[in-house]
Each structure stands twice: as structure tokens, then as C-alpha cells.
Amino acid sequence: MGKVVILGVFVADAGFRADRMPRMGETLLGNSFSLGPGGKGSNQAMACARSGADTHFITKLGQDDFAEMAQALWDNAGITAHAERCADSYTGAAFIFVLESSGDNAIIVSPGAGATITAADMDTQADLIRGASVFVTQLEQPMDAAIRALHIAKEAGVATILNPAPAAALPDGMLALCDYVTPNETETEALTGIAVATPEDAAHAAERLCELGVGTPIITMGEQGAYLQGHGMVPAIRAGNVVDTTGAGDAFNGGFAAALSRCETTLRAVQIGCATAGLSVTRAGAAASMPNWDKVERLL
Ligand code: RIB
């Protein structure tokens, strides 16, 4: 069993399903509501643990009911949490709008205590990060913390994955700390200035990411699959009707990281990521939609 260390954020997802987004000033009747665990880092840890990896999650929480939700989730999934409880902040939350007809989503996330994670916190966790086979982070916690953790991992020879979500401009040199980056189309455009709609666009953008120092870019493209530099398109794997796409990218990253940690080839790990994402969109919610390894294996 490989060891994966993930830095990121937990938030409670308040999910609203409706036939369309309300206009400014309008009140709209929704079709349903759910409250459940989310946050990109925590979702990725869930996908990774359910894929069978020894999964450690570094984050910060408040001292409130959402923090209890987080701890119960991780305990149940066998995730080892390194989560400081902050008395002067709150556990974050996200507004998740899900379009009833397609399952597509739009999100506002407020990371709360997750926004107070610092580079110095990463120094405190340095031994944990150095002891991993794979290190993963995203951009919902402060950039400084992500950069410091990537430095620590890279120097120790740990495979590094940056899922650059939500989209942001990155400081010079940050991409050179990444063995893998896994942006979607929007995030790829934010990083490279190249709009991605087709595999040819993805190939062009991936070349640019390599020039910026990335080891192997992997551009996730929803129902088209993922573009893997040096290979080409890895097709998406459909596992059923699309119910909710929230957390699909997280499913990909968690499944991919777990596969890398048990020494699968990069191509096989991307196929596993695609299968994990394909299963996750057939179920509602984010963390709750992450599939167990037996389901992924059967689908593949
Ligand atoms: O990637 C999906 C996640 O993004 C949601 O669970 C939400 O919490 C936001 O962080």
C-alpha cells in the first residue's frame, strides 16, 4: 500500500439542485437541497483512501459541527488527518449549484480555517511529507503553503501532483516543482493563455506547461477524457447516467495519486483516474460519490 499525503481544505457543501441559476435579485424555487462533506483536498483524500492507499490529509478546521462532520468522514474512510482545530476561525462551506438537466455545477467556496494554513505549518509537517510516495495539493488553501509543501516533497524525491484548482495565476517557478499538474480546460487556460476545447488544443497547452517546467501535464477534459503528455487522449469511461459532476476532478486526482503510489505506470494511473471520475458522476454529492476500488477495477 503506497502512502499519499494530501494538503488541502475540507468544507461542508450546501448543494442546491434547480432548473437554472437565479438572476441577481431573483428568488427561485429549487428542486432539492443536501448538506454533505466537500472541499477539493478532502474529496481527493476520500477518493485516494477508497482506492486503497494509506492516505494522510493535512488541513485546518474550526471548532464547530462541520469540523465534527469532517472527522467522522475521515475516521470512517481510514484517512489519517493532521487537522489543527482553530478557535478563532470556522470550518469552511461551499455553495454548490447543480443544474438539474445536466448535473453540471457552479461553486462558491469559503475555506474558513483552511485559509489560515501557512508555509510554517508545512515545515511542521515536513517529516510526514518527506515520508510519502506521492504528495498532492490544490489551490483552496494559501499559495505559500502549497509552494512550501511542494518544495519539501520535491527535495525529498516524493512524486508531486498539483491540481491547480480553483484557477489562479501561479508564481514563477511553482510549476517546476510539479512532477504532474492536472488542470481542467479552464485552469489550463489560466496557466497557459491557451483556450482548450479539442485534443489538439490540449497538446498545444501541454507543450506550454512543459516549457514552464512541469514534468508531465495531464489536462482533464470532462466527458472527452484526459490528455496525457507523451501519450495523447485517454478516453473518459462512462459508468452510467450523469447525476452530479461535483467532485469529478477530485475523484480523478485521488484515484490517480493512489495508483501512482502503488507504482502503476502513468498511463494506467490516468486510466484509473478516469474510471474513478466516471463512477463519481453517477452519484450525488462530492465526498459521498467517491467509489471503492472494487468498483473501479470492475469498470476498467
Ligand atoms: O471540486 C469540488 C469541490 O470544490 C466541492 O466539494 C466544493 O467544496 C469545492 O471545494
Side-chain angles (χ1 to χ4, degrees):
M1 190 160 62
K3 179 169 169 178
V4 180
V5 173
I6 299 178
L7 162 67
V9 160
F10 169 91
V11 300
D13 284 354
F16 298 79
R17 295 184 76 94
D19 295 332
R20 62 174 175 82
M21 279 279 248
R23 283 184 285 274
M24 194 56 70
E26 180 188 29
T27 299
L28 192 68
L29 284 181
N31 299 338
S32 66
F33 169 78
S34 64
L35 181 67
K40 293 182 192 304
S42 179
N43 294 341
Q44 292 175 17
M46 286 295 293
C48 190
R50 287 187 175 165
S51 257
D54 173 17
T55 306
H56 294 249
F57 185 48
I58 305 172
T59 193
K60 285 188 179 177
L61 299 171
Q63 296 181 347
D64 46 33
D65 289 350
F66 288 168
E68 299 308 319
M69 180 199 284
Q71 194 59 57
L73 177 82
W74 301 329
D75 289 348
N76 198 263
I79 294 167
T80 307
H82 307 262
E84 188 186 323
R85 298 278 184 115
C86 305
D88 53 356
S89 189
Y90 61 92
T91 306
F95 159 79
I96 314 272
F97 166 77
V98 179
L99 186 64
E100 193 68 72
S101 58
S102 67
D104 288 332
N105 64 70
I107 297 176
I108 300 173
V109 59
S110 294
T116 70
I117 301 172
T118 63
D121 293 328
M122 298 305 103
D123 291 328
T124 305
Q125 300 291 350
D127 286 345
L128 175 70
I129 295 169
R130 289 190 193 106
S133 331
V134 177
F135 172 78
V136 187
T137 192
Q138 327 72 32
L139 300 175
E140 286 187 330
Q141 77 292 314
M143 191 77 78
D144 285 357
I147 294 171
R148 182 72 193 122
L150 285 165
H151 261 294
I152 293 167
K154 188 77 178 165
E155 273 171 19
V158 176
T160 53
I161 303 173
L162 172 65
N163 173 225
L170 302 184
D172 285 352
M174 185 171 178
L175 287 172
L177 299 171
C178 306
D179 294 314
Y180 303 92
V181 286
T182 56
N184 66 16
E185 299 97 321
T186 317
E187 293 146 8
T188 302
E189 185 169 356
L191 296 177
T192 64
I194 298 167
V196 173
T198 65
E200 292 70 31
D201 299 334
H204 185 196
E207 284 298 335
R208 178 71 191 126
L209 288 168
C210 288
E211 286 163 14
L212 292 168
V214 174
T216 305
I218 299 162
I219 298 173
T220 59
M221 299 176 67
E223 59 195 15
Q224 291 189 72
Y227 181 87
L228 168 61
Q229 176 69 6
H231 171 81
M233 285 304 293
V234 177
I237 306 178
R238 201 176 162 88
N241 289 338
V242 177
V243 172
D244 182 354
T245 60
T246 312
D250 301 330
F252 177 89
N253 280 281
F256 175 68
L260 279 189
S261 78
R262 49 176 194 267
C263 301
E264 301 280 6
T265 64
T266 304
L267 173 58
R268 182 68 178 163
V270 171
Q271 289 166 337
I272 289 169
C274 286
T276 310
L279 283 160
S280 79
V281 300
T282 64
R283 296 179 60 190
S289 72
M290 301 306 166
N292 288 325
W293 172 246
D294 59 334
K295 287 211 171 63
V296 177
E297 197 174 28
R298 219 175 305 138
L299 180 63
L300 283 164

